[in-house]
Amino acid sequence: MLETIINYLESISAVQAALLATLFTWFLTAVGAGFVFFFKQMHRPLLDAMLGFTGGVMVAASFWSLLAPSISMSEGEGFAKVMPAALGFVGGSLFIFLLDKILPHLHVNFKKAEGLKTPWQKTTLLVLAITLHNIPEGLAVGVLFGGAALAVPEATIAGAVVLALGIGLQNLPEGIAVAVPLRRMGMSRRKSFFYGQSSALVEPIAGVLGAAAISTFTPVLPYALAFAAGAMIFVVVEEVIPETQQDGNTDLATMGFIGGFTIMMILDVALG
């Protein structure tokens, strides 16, 4: 099955492949949001464990799928070889840092709004928070497909598929993390589902832009891979991990993180 998917994606353009892969990651967000049709509340310890899983997947993907290939494909030795990855990593972190300071958003616990002050409703702010998470994820998938299309040895279609699979798996709890709290606030099931799935619509957009940019500006590939990694790590450290610590479920969140990291590492090394 996986081989068939890889063969098909190799037969189409990088932009088309990135679009299909990120539509898949959006679909799994929608599946997570669909839980709202069955549950009005989510057991908080379970949610924290799932968010920990999300963080583990993102950290593992940042290294195995993005940073390691970025360093491997860079020319030179010593400092010269690692500088593109270092610059890209810092750039990606700063990019999300600036978005975090500018874009108004609200976390799952509804306790603290961040970004510029705005009269927007909590619904919109919560969706924007998860949307902020999804920008680097879609970008990472698109950049990797773009690199694979250029026949860069360190960037393969198989690796891009594994990355999309891992991101899709961790999108399930993100869909839940938006839709269920909205339902608990009294919003209808349909509206809660709509807002939950819409938080990942940015992924296909970012994926297509990433693939198109690499196809046009090939030399930036090592920087772009590390840029996506830096953005994802920033999200994990600044948003995901602190969110799991709000209600004292630290052990569950930590074990979820370890589980997510381990699964993504296995997938990437064994299949990528």
Side-chain angles (χ1 to χ4, degrees), residues 115-129:
L116 299 177
K117 292 184 178 180
T118 175
W120 293 349
Q121 295 181 346
K122 288 183 176 180
T123 302
T124 304
L125 295 177
L126 179 59
V127 173
L128 287 175

Side-chain angles (χ1 to χ4, degrees), residues 45-133:
L46 177 59
L47 180 60
D48 285 339
M50 295 175 73
L51 288 174
F53 178 89
T54 291
V57 169
M58 292 176 72
V59 170
S62 295
F63 176 74
W64 298 104
S65 297
L66 301 170
L67 276 177
S70 172
I71 295 171
S72 295
M73 70 179 63
S74 298
E75 298 179 354
E77 298 292 337
F79 286 107
K81 188 172 184 63
V82 78
M83 284 310 295
L87 292 173
F89 187 85
V90 172
S93 302
L94 291 176
F95 173 71
I96 298 298
F97 172 78
L98 291 174
L99 284 184
D100 185 67
K101 296 301 180 185
I102 296 172
L103 185 67
H105 60 285
L106 182 71
H107 298 290
V108 176
N109 55 32
F110 294 102
K111 293 179 181 178
K112 182 182 179 182
E114 296 184 356
L116 299 177
K117 292 184 178 180
T118 175
W120 293 349
Q121 295 181 346
K122 288 183 176 180
T123 302
T124 304
L125 295 177
L126 179 59
V127 173
L128 287 175
I130 304 299
T131 299
L132 188 65
H133 295 189

